[in-house]
Amino acid sequence: MNDSILVTGGAGFLGSHLCQRLVHQGRDVLCVDNFYTGRRANIAPLLERRSFELIRHDVCFPLYLEVGQIYNMACPASPVHYQFDPVQTTKTSVHGAINMLGLAKRVKARILQASTSEVYGDPEVHPQPESYWGWVNPIGIRSCYDEGKRCAETLFFDYWRQHQLQIKVARIFNTYGPRMRADDGRVVSNFIVQALRGEPITIYGDGSQTRSFCYVDDLLDGLELLMASAPEFVGPVNLGNPVEFSMLELAELVLRLCGSRSKLSFHPLPGDDPKQRQPDIALASRSLGWQPKVSLADGLKETVAYFRSTLDHDLARS
Ligand SMILES: NC(=O)c1ccc[n+]([C@@H]2O[C@H](COP(=O)([O-])OP(=O)(O)OC[C@H]3O[C@@H](n4cnc5c(N)ncnc54)[C@H](O)[C@@H]3O)[C@@H](O)[C@H]2O)c1
């Protein structure tokens, strides 16, 4: 069997960390990306490694490669980017899944889908176990992402039932860390960039809505354990950090770590914004022996250091 690993969306935030980790483990990695939200800088240090190959390609089109494993990570993840071209977002999730599943079927590869907590929509159950089917608006501004990812899950499970494909489905909850984009509108990067620039911190609603935040290293541990798990364990499995923080608590922590005096600025809640989202990780803990280890304060320190250096670089270039 071919033991090289395909990472679609490999130049993005999570994908580039995954590529780096796999290359450092001595694996042969094929990174596929169309650079919609990914950046060359994220994978620049890997480009000179012989075990790393970059292929510029849109997963909406078929791809013929010889690989043993596929991590299907391609899809813009931040609302700003996935709502910019919603038709392309749905196509990336659905056509991308069909093409990557077709590839996995042809070469008998094991394939992991980076699904999302967004499949639960605006949940009525807290925390969300995998058995919860979700409360999702099919026609709202987030639907291109939520329903695209739900359809991708359907395709994964149908390929598994119909073609006995080796699938793994991870439902990823809010993950943060170095290499997030400064302009992607996700709350952690927004707060840090605003705090470092001394701009007002944008809080939607009254800031009491909560999120749980998983550090990138913890998430990748979970993805790797899932990929290596027994064939009969297919998921879906939640991967995220169950410790909840309100937006106000997050803002205070970020301000402290950045040493910033930015003020808070309150704005109306955007459409379909879930009020609370928290993973139930009992299944991941029981089946994969996985638990997040990095505290929010420690993960934020690394992330703040990353943004401090990239923002300094941007200022120096302007
Ligand atoms: N970061 C999170 O908190 C989070 C949460 C849930 C799910 N996820 C999922 O994890 C995956 C990676 O997310 P991320 O945070 O790294 O996002 P990201 O936007 O940084 O990375 C996505 C990557 O996919 C590439 N891409 C987009 N459309 C493509 C296409 N049609 N063909 C080829 N490449 C394409 C982008 O250029 C980018 O490099 C996504 O599938 C996302 O839905 C992430």
Side-chain angles (χ1 to χ4, degrees):
M1 195 185 84
N2 191 307
D3 62 2
S4 50
I5 303 177
L6 168 61
V7 180
T8 74
F13 160 49
L14 296 179
S16 64
H17 282 282
L18 178 62
C19 288
Q20 181 181 339
R21 190 183 264 230
L22 294 171
V23 166
H24 287 166
Q25 289 167 5
R27 309 299 301 263
D28 285 324
V29 175
L30 293 164
C31 164
V32 162
D33 208 294
N34 69 349
F35 292 102
Y36 185 68
T37 49
R39 289 174 298 187
R40 264 188 105 77
N42 288 343
I43 45 159
L46 300 176
L47 289 170
E48 59 200 30
R49 303 286 287 252
R50 282 180 53 198
S51 55
F52 181 80
E53 199 174 329
L54 170 66
I55 303 167
R56 189 177 194 126
H57 177 82
D58 184 330
V59 294
C60 297
F61 300 95
L63 185 63
Y64 298 91
L65 294 167
E66 294 296 324
V67 290
Q69 292 182 357
I70 303 170
Y71 286 87
N72 189 34
M73 316 285 290
C75 187
S78 86
V80 173
H81 292 126
Y82 72 62
Q83 287 167 14
F84 175 73
D85 187 349
V87 173
Q88 173 66 16
T89 300
T90 305
K91 281 185 180 169
T92 294
S93 277
V94 178
H95 291 270
I98 291 170
N99 289 322
M100 292 310 114
L101 286 162
L103 172 63
K105 180 168 170 252
R106 270 194 304 279
V107 299
K108 297 192 171 33
R110 181 175 278 208
I111 180 166
L112 182 150
Q113 167 69 355
S115 190
T116 169
S117 56
E118 303 282 337
V119 299
Y120 299 122
D122 191 359
E124 311 128 299
V125 174
H126 297 285
Q128 292 89 50
E130 292 83 353
S131 54
Y132 177 56
W133 289 354
W135 175 249
V136 183
N137 176 359
I139 57 167
I141 56 170
R142 302 174 78 102
S143 312
C144 56
Y145 185 72
D146 302 5
E147 297 288 23
K149 290 284 190 179
R150 283 168 71 93
C151 184
E153 285 199 11
T154 307
L155 284 160
F156 267 69
F157 278 84
D158 283 333
Y159 266 78
W160 173 63
R161 279 186 287 262
Q162 202 174 326
H163 301 297
Q164 293 74 52
L165 226 67
Q166 285 194 55
I167 64 152
K168 307 280 176 189
V169 175
R171 289 186 179 154
I172 302 171
F173 284 66
N174 262 347
T175 302
Y176 70 98
R179 301 196 195 142
M180 296 181 86
R181 290 174 59 125
D183 64 351
D184 77 1
R186 285 189 260 191
V187 64
V188 171
S189 44
N190 262 6
F191 283 9
I192 294 176
V193 170
Q194 289 170 332
L196 289 176
R197 288 183 174 149
E199 295 167 0
I201 306 280
T202 311
I203 308 266
Y204 294 107
D206 62 4
S208 64
Q209 71 274 35
T210 61
R211 291 288 185 278
S212 51
F213 303 99
C214 185
Y215 189 60
V216 57
D217 288 352
D218 281 335
L219 191 269
L220 294 189
D221 288 345
L223 290 184
E224 279 200 89
L225 284 167
L226 177 59
M227 184 60 111
S229 63
E232 55 279 10
F233 185 71
V234 294
V237 59
N238 290 337
L239 295 177
N241 192 324
V243 182
E244 274 188 296
F245 289 87
S246 72
M247 295 303 99
L248 287 177
E249 287 170 324
L250 176 69
E252 276 163 26
L253 190 51
V254 166
L255 286 172
R256 184 159 58 75
L257 291 171
C258 293
S260 167
R261 295 178 171 201
S262 291
K263 299 269 175 288
L264 305 184
S265 163
F266 292 86
H267 298 260
L269 273 177
D272 290 344
D273 195 46
K275 285 170 269 315
Q276 190 186 16
R277 179 91 50 61
Q278 185 192 21
D280 175 336
I281 57 165
L283 179 63
S285 160
R286 202 170 57 242
S287 306
L288 304 174
W290 179 81
Q291 293 275 357
K293 301 187 197 91
V294 182
S295 70
L296 184 61
D298 285 347
L300 282 178
K301 264 183 225 148
E302 298 293 323
T303 315
V304 167
Y306 166 79
F307 277 110
R308 217 186 270 283
S309 70
T310 52
L311 292 179
D312 284 352
H313 182 69
D314 289 348
L315 282 178
R317 282 197 314 177
S318 61

